[in-house]
Amino acid sequence: LMATVAESGSGLVAAQQPTVRLDDWSAREPDLAVYRQPGPEHRLLPVQNLVLAIEVADSSLAVDLGAKRWSY
């Protein structure tokens, strides 16, 4: 996925476990994310730039399908 996004010419970025800022008090780190590159003024990835978040669930399935699911 990361190579496909990079080669697409779409201007999107794919990365493993980027820190996504949801609001002033919380952040998430999806296992893989596709996003629009934020400007240099952003230390964390703003949720508005997030295009796709992928969580790989094994032992964390209940959490991933519960509270985490709705936070994005």
Side-chain angles (χ1 to χ4, degrees):
L1 177 65
M2 293 172 69
T4 301
V5 170
E7 294 172 2
S8 72
S10 65
L12 296 175
V13 178
Q16 294 177 347
Q17 298 182 317
T19 302
V20 179
R21 182 181 178 149
L22 301 177
D23 56 34
D24 289 340
W25 303 278
S26 59
R28 292 277 188 250
E29 290 183 337
D31 294 315
L32 183 64
V34 176
Y35 55 91
R36 290 180 298 280
Q37 185 68 44
E41 70 278 8
H42 295 286
R43 193 171 62 85
L44 302 177
L45 175 63
V47 72
Q48 296 88 342
N49 289 46
L50 189 63
V51 175
L52 174 68
I54 299 172
E55 292 282 355
V56 178
D58 184 18
S59 61
S60 63
L61 183 60
V63 174
D64 290 346
L65 291 178
K68 240 187 197 184
R69 177 182 183 186
W70 300 110
S71 66
Y72 288 108

